[in-house]
Short mmCIF file of all heavy atoms in Angstrom, two decimals:
data_model
loop_
_atom_site.label_atom_id
_atom_site.label_comp_id
_atom_site.label_asym_id
_atom_site.label_seq_id
_atom_site.Cartn_x
_atom_site.Cartn_y
_atom_site.Cartn_z
N GLU A 1 104.68 78.00 7.07
CA GLU A 1 105.23 77.03 8.01
C GLU A 1 106.74 76.89 7.86
O GLU A 1 107.47 76.68 8.84
CB GLU A 1 104.56 75.67 7.82
CG GLU A 1 103.13 75.63 8.31
CD GLU A 1 102.52 74.24 8.15
OE1 GLU A 1 103.21 73.35 7.57
OE2 GLU A 1 101.38 74.04 8.59
N ARG A 2 107.23 77.02 6.63
CA ARG A 2 108.66 76.83 6.39
C ARG A 2 109.48 78.09 6.71
O ARG A 2 110.60 78.00 7.21
CB ARG A 2 108.91 76.44 4.92
CG ARG A 2 108.42 75.07 4.54
CD ARG A 2 109.05 74.64 3.20
NE ARG A 2 108.95 75.67 2.18
CZ ARG A 2 107.95 75.76 1.31
NH1 ARG A 2 106.97 74.87 1.35
NH2 ARG A 2 107.93 76.72 0.40
N GLU A 3 108.93 79.25 6.38
CA GLU A 3 109.73 80.47 6.40
C GLU A 3 109.46 81.39 7.59
O GLU A 3 110.27 82.29 7.85
CB GLU A 3 109.47 81.27 5.11
CG GLU A 3 109.71 80.50 3.83
CD GLU A 3 111.18 80.14 3.64
OE1 GLU A 3 112.03 80.81 4.25
OE2 GLU A 3 111.47 79.18 2.90
N VAL A 4 108.38 81.21 8.30
CA VAL A 4 107.99 82.17 9.35
C VAL A 4 108.04 81.47 10.71
O VAL A 4 107.56 80.34 10.85
CB VAL A 4 106.57 82.72 9.08
CG1 VAL A 4 106.16 83.70 10.18
CG2 VAL A 4 106.53 83.40 7.71
N PRO A 5 108.62 82.13 11.72
CA PRO A 5 108.59 81.55 13.07
C PRO A 5 107.15 81.35 13.54
O PRO A 5 106.23 82.08 13.14
CB PRO A 5 109.32 82.61 13.92
CG PRO A 5 110.16 83.37 12.95
CD PRO A 5 109.41 83.38 11.66
N GLU A 6 106.97 80.37 14.39
CA GLU A 6 105.62 80.00 14.82
C GLU A 6 104.90 81.15 15.49
O GLU A 6 103.68 81.31 15.33
CB GLU A 6 105.71 78.79 15.75
CG GLU A 6 104.34 78.25 16.15
CD GLU A 6 104.45 76.98 16.97
OE1 GLU A 6 105.59 76.52 17.20
OE2 GLU A 6 103.41 76.45 17.39
N SER A 7 105.61 81.97 16.23
CA SER A 7 104.96 83.07 16.96
C SER A 7 104.42 84.14 16.02
O SER A 7 103.51 84.90 16.40
CB SER A 7 105.95 83.70 17.95
OG SER A 7 107.11 84.19 17.25
N ASP A 8 104.96 84.25 14.81
CA ASP A 8 104.53 85.30 13.88
C ASP A 8 103.62 84.77 12.76
O ASP A 8 103.24 85.54 11.88
CB ASP A 8 105.76 85.95 13.24
CG ASP A 8 106.64 86.65 14.25
OD1 ASP A 8 106.09 87.11 15.28
OD2 ASP A 8 107.86 86.73 14.02
N ARG A 9 103.28 83.49 12.79
CA ARG A 9 102.55 82.92 11.65
C ARG A 9 101.15 83.49 11.50
O ARG A 9 100.68 83.72 10.38
CB ARG A 9 102.48 81.40 11.80
CG ARG A 9 103.81 80.70 11.55
CD ARG A 9 103.73 79.21 11.80
NE ARG A 9 105.05 78.59 11.66
CZ ARG A 9 105.32 77.32 11.93
NH1 ARG A 9 104.34 76.52 12.35
NH2 ARG A 9 106.54 76.85 11.78
N GLY A 10 100.46 83.72 12.60
CA GLY A 10 99.11 84.26 12.50
C GLY A 10 99.09 85.63 11.87
O GLY A 10 98.28 85.92 10.98
N ARG A 11 100.00 86.52 12.33
CA ARG A 11 100.04 87.89 11.78
C ARG A 11 100.45 87.88 10.31
O ARG A 11 99.85 88.56 9.48
CB ARG A 11 101.03 88.73 12.61
CG ARG A 11 101.20 90.16 12.12
CD ARG A 11 102.18 90.91 13.02
NE ARG A 11 103.46 90.21 13.09
CZ ARG A 11 104.42 90.33 12.15
NH1 ARG A 11 104.23 91.10 11.09
NH2 ARG A 11 105.57 89.68 12.28
N VAL A 12 101.47 87.07 9.97
CA VAL A 12 101.94 87.02 8.59
C VAL A 12 100.86 86.42 7.68
O VAL A 12 100.69 86.86 6.53
CB VAL A 12 103.25 86.21 8.51
CG1 VAL A 12 103.66 85.99 7.06
CG2 VAL A 12 104.36 86.92 9.28
N SER A 13 100.13 85.44 8.18
CA SER A 13 99.07 84.83 7.37
C SER A 13 98.01 85.85 6.99
O SER A 13 97.56 85.91 5.83
CB SER A 13 98.42 83.67 8.14
OG SER A 13 99.34 82.63 8.37
N GLU A 14 97.62 86.70 7.96
CA GLU A 14 96.62 87.72 7.66
C GLU A 14 97.14 88.71 6.62
O GLU A 14 96.40 89.13 5.71
CB GLU A 14 96.25 88.45 8.95
CG GLU A 14 95.52 87.56 9.96
CD GLU A 14 95.16 88.33 11.21
OE1 GLU A 14 95.39 89.57 11.24
OE2 GLU A 14 94.64 87.70 12.16
N VAL A 15 98.40 89.11 6.74
CA VAL A 15 98.98 90.05 5.77
C VAL A 15 99.01 89.44 4.37
O VAL A 15 98.64 90.08 3.37
CB VAL A 15 100.39 90.47 6.22
CG1 VAL A 15 101.07 91.29 5.13
CG2 VAL A 15 100.33 91.26 7.52
N LEU A 16 99.45 88.18 4.28
CA LEU A 16 99.53 87.52 2.97
C LEU A 16 98.15 87.34 2.34
O LEU A 16 98.00 87.47 1.12
CB LEU A 16 100.23 86.16 3.11
CG LEU A 16 101.72 86.19 3.48
CD1 LEU A 16 102.28 84.79 3.54
CD2 LEU A 16 102.51 87.03 2.47
N LEU A 17 97.15 87.06 3.16
CA LEU A 17 95.79 86.92 2.62
C LEU A 17 95.29 88.25 2.06
O LEU A 17 94.64 88.28 1.01
CB LEU A 17 94.84 86.40 3.70
CG LEU A 17 94.83 84.88 3.93
CD1 LEU A 17 93.89 84.52 5.07
CD2 LEU A 17 94.41 84.15 2.66
N ARG A 18 95.57 89.37 2.77
CA ARG A 18 95.14 90.68 2.26
C ARG A 18 95.85 90.99 0.95
O ARG A 18 95.25 91.50 0.00
CB ARG A 18 95.42 91.77 3.30
CG ARG A 18 94.46 91.75 4.48
CD ARG A 18 94.52 93.07 5.24
NE ARG A 18 95.85 93.31 5.81
CZ ARG A 18 96.23 92.92 7.02
NH1 ARG A 18 95.38 92.25 7.79
NH2 ARG A 18 97.44 93.20 7.47
N ILE A 19 97.15 90.69 0.87
CA ILE A 19 97.89 90.93 -0.37
C ILE A 19 97.35 90.04 -1.49
O ILE A 19 97.19 90.49 -2.63
CB ILE A 19 99.39 90.67 -0.14
CG1 ILE A 19 99.96 91.70 0.84
CG2 ILE A 19 100.15 90.69 -1.45
CD1 ILE A 19 101.40 91.43 1.23
N LEU A 20 97.04 88.77 -1.16
CA LEU A 20 96.51 87.86 -2.17
C LEU A 20 95.17 88.36 -2.70
O LEU A 20 94.94 88.39 -3.93
CB LEU A 20 96.35 86.46 -1.57
CG LEU A 20 95.67 85.43 -2.47
CD1 LEU A 20 96.52 85.13 -3.70
CD2 LEU A 20 95.39 84.13 -1.71
N ASN A 21 94.27 88.75 -1.79
CA ASN A 21 92.96 89.21 -2.24
C ASN A 21 93.08 90.45 -3.12
O ASN A 21 92.42 90.56 -4.16
CB ASN A 21 92.07 89.51 -1.02
CG ASN A 21 91.67 88.24 -0.28
OD1 ASN A 21 91.59 87.17 -0.88
ND2 ASN A 21 91.44 88.36 1.02
N GLY A 22 93.94 91.40 -2.71
CA GLY A 22 94.11 92.60 -3.52
C GLY A 22 94.74 92.31 -4.86
O GLY A 22 94.33 92.88 -5.90
N SER A 23 95.71 91.42 -4.91
CA SER A 23 96.37 91.09 -6.18
C SER A 23 95.41 90.36 -7.11
O SER A 23 95.40 90.61 -8.34
CB SER A 23 97.60 90.23 -5.90
OG SER A 23 98.50 90.90 -5.03
N LEU A 24 94.62 89.43 -6.56
CA LEU A 24 93.65 88.72 -7.40
C LEU A 24 92.58 89.65 -7.93
O LEU A 24 92.06 89.46 -9.04
CB LEU A 24 93.02 87.56 -6.61
CG LEU A 24 93.94 86.38 -6.30
CD1 LEU A 24 93.21 85.34 -5.46
CD2 LEU A 24 94.43 85.72 -7.61
N PHE A 25 92.23 90.67 -7.14
CA PHE A 25 91.25 91.64 -7.63
C PHE A 25 91.80 92.40 -8.83
O PHE A 25 91.06 92.71 -9.77
CB PHE A 25 90.88 92.60 -6.51
CG PHE A 25 89.79 93.57 -6.89
CD1 PHE A 25 88.52 93.13 -7.21
CD2 PHE A 25 90.06 94.93 -6.95
CE1 PHE A 25 87.52 94.02 -7.56
CE2 PHE A 25 89.07 95.83 -7.31
CZ PHE A 25 87.79 95.38 -7.62
N GLU A 26 93.12 92.67 -8.82
CA GLU A 26 93.73 93.32 -9.98
C GLU A 26 93.69 92.38 -11.19
O GLU A 26 93.47 92.81 -12.33
CB GLU A 26 95.18 93.71 -9.67
CG GLU A 26 95.33 94.79 -8.62
CD GLU A 26 94.69 96.10 -9.07
OE1 GLU A 26 94.66 96.36 -10.29
OE2 GLU A 26 94.22 96.87 -8.21
N LEU A 27 93.91 91.08 -10.94
CA LEU A 27 93.79 90.10 -12.04
C LEU A 27 92.36 90.07 -12.58
O LEU A 27 92.15 89.95 -13.80
CB LEU A 27 94.20 88.71 -11.56
CG LEU A 27 95.69 88.38 -11.47
CD1 LEU A 27 95.89 86.97 -10.94
CD2 LEU A 27 96.35 88.51 -12.85
N TYR A 28 91.39 90.16 -11.68
CA TYR A 28 89.99 90.16 -12.11
C TYR A 28 89.70 91.37 -12.99
O TYR A 28 89.03 91.25 -14.03
CB TYR A 28 89.09 90.15 -10.87
CG TYR A 28 87.60 90.16 -11.16
CD1 TYR A 28 87.06 89.37 -12.18
CD2 TYR A 28 86.75 90.97 -10.43
CE1 TYR A 28 85.69 89.39 -12.43
CE2 TYR A 28 85.39 91.00 -10.68
CZ TYR A 28 84.87 90.21 -11.70
OH TYR A 28 83.53 90.22 -11.96
N LYS A 29 90.21 92.54 -12.62
CA LYS A 29 89.99 93.74 -13.43
C LYS A 29 90.65 93.59 -14.79
O LYS A 29 90.10 94.02 -15.81
CB LYS A 29 90.50 94.97 -12.68
CG LYS A 29 89.68 95.33 -11.46
CD LYS A 29 90.01 96.71 -10.92
CE LYS A 29 91.40 96.76 -10.33
NZ LYS A 29 91.69 98.08 -9.72
N GLN A 30 91.86 93.01 -14.82
CA GLN A 30 92.52 92.78 -16.10
C GLN A 30 91.71 91.84 -16.98
O GLN A 30 91.57 92.06 -18.20
CB GLN A 30 93.92 92.19 -15.87
CG GLN A 30 94.90 93.15 -15.22
CD GLN A 30 96.24 92.50 -14.90
OE1 GLN A 30 97.06 93.06 -14.20
NE2 GLN A 30 96.46 91.33 -15.44
#
């Protein structure tokens, strides 16, 4: 909400969620 224009928030949210899930999976493996 602070850093992304309103028109791009949906697309950026999906990208950040994919990155979060992948990064947490690496934490799980560790």
